[in-house]
Amino acid sequence: MDKQLKLHAIANHIALILISFILIAAFYEQFALHELPCPLCLLQRAGLVALGLAICLNLRFGVQIPHYGLMLLASLMGFGIATRQILLHITPGDSGYGSAVLGLHLYTWASIFFFVSLVFVSLSLLVDKAFFASNNKISVNYFSRGLIALFLVLILANMLGVFFECGIGVCPDNPIVYLFWGSAGS
Amino acid sequence: MMVRIFFIYLILGLQIFFGKSFWLKTQLFIYMLITLLWFYHHATDQLGLSW
């Protein structure tokens, strides 16, 4: 494989692993620490899912400029949503939503992550020989397929989690109980 | 509504996993627009504004 294509392959795999880890960590916050996600939290998860799917497009169909364009749009979307949540809680005296991790709330970490992903995707577009190679396909082995499958399981888990939290309607701004269980699980 | 949003992303993910190519980039773009529209609705709803 061309060196630049290899670089794209490694970066895309690492990015998808990182996004999967973030989604798993969000589930840990939800189920172990009993902090139900608010509507904006769910929208940020959707932003991560959109970003991950754009990465899956690269892994499955080869590195293409439009895939990176979609990653930029997904990152911008996630950044906007996370920043809105920061601004909602920025006034002095506001304790924010949910508990802090290493001093920052999850939506602040999300905002940082989406911003960093904007930078990395932009840098990836500079490594452009891979886009014009005769074979721009990343070899899709069992590891890649397994990674994509894990990501799909996380999307399904998010869908089911939201269903149990809010049904098919609108989620409450400050959820404290699951719609179908009547408790946060604590 | 979020259930539906995750559902359409899941369907797209399955299409990608099985290598079926049905305008996947366009689908992802449209689904992101839907997500943004829902975000806008939520934001304006919180502020007490109407469409």
Side-chain angles (χ1 to χ4, degrees):
Chain A
M1 208 194 297
D2 170 56
K3 272 185 196 165
Q4 291 200 0
L5 185 60
K6 222 179 231 173
L7 203 56
H8 279 274
I10 292 169
N12 276 276
H13 280 95
I14 289 174
L16 193 59
I17 289 170
L18 197 52
I19 289 172
S20 300
F21 175 75
I22 292 170
L23 288 171
I24 292 170
F27 277 124
Y28 173 79
E29 280 276 328
Q30 181 174 349
F31 293 112
L33 303 182
H34 311 297
E35 291 185 1
L36 273 64
C38 62
L40 282 175
C41 311
L42 293 170
L43 282 164
Q44 285 161 64
R45 291 189 191 188
L48 284 169
V49 164
L51 180 57
L53 285 173
I55 294 170
C56 290
L57 282 173
N58 258 352
L59 294 180
R60 197 71 179 83
F61 298 104
V63 288
Q64 295 177 31
I65 295 171
H67 298 164
Y68 282 107
L70 287 167
M71 282 187 223
L72 283 175
L73 290 173
S75 301
L76 267 171
M77 179 177 80
F79 181 72
I81 295 168
T83 304
R84 169 167 167 81
Q85 192 161 15
I86 292 172
L87 293 175
L88 279 174
H89 298 288
I90 209 168
T91 54
D94 191 318
S95 57
Y97 185 85
S99 52
V101 174
L102 298 175
L104 298 175
H105 286 94
L106 290 184
Y107 43 84
T108 309
W109 282 116
S111 175
I112 293 169
F113 174 78
F114 283 120
F115 182 79
V116 168
S117 72
L118 278 170
V119 173
F120 269 98
V121 173
S122 304
L123 289 172
S124 299
L125 287 168
L126 297 176
V127 184
D128 64 344
K129 277 197 190 136
F131 302 127
F132 307 108
S134 53
N135 179 17
N136 65 349
K137 296 254 187 281
I138 295 171
S139 78
V140 185
N141 51 25
Y142 284 116
F143 178 73
S144 302
R145 282 184 202 267
L147 199 49
I148 296 174
L150 168 67
F151 187 65
L152 293 185
V153 167
L154 288 171
I155 299 174
L156 175 66
N158 270 291
M159 187 184 82
L160 292 174
V162 178
F163 177 72
F164 285 117
E165 183 184 341
C166 325
I168 56 171
V170 178
C171 291
D173 280 344
N174 289 303
I176 49 173
V177 293
Y178 287 95
L179 183 68
F180 293 105
W181 296 332
S183 78
S186 52
Chain B
M1 186 61 194
M2 285 307 300
V3 175
R4 281 167 252 195
I5 287 175
F6 280 116
F7 179 70
I8 56 178
Y9 281 131
L10 179 64
I11 297 300
L12 176 59
L14 287 168
Q15 291 175 66
I16 294 171
F17 181 77
F18 289 110
K20 301 297 177 192
S21 187
F22 298 123
W23 295 51
L24 297 175
K25 296 188 281 274
T26 308
Q27 279 189 59
L28 182 54
F29 180 74
I30 289 170
Y31 300 159
M32 285 198 285
L33 276 179
I34 291 171
T35 309
L36 265 174
L37 273 172
W38 181 243
F39 167 57
Y40 175 74
H41 171 73
H42 175 262
T44 50
D45 207 39
Q46 272 193 325
L47 293 168
L49 303 172
S50 62
W51 285 89

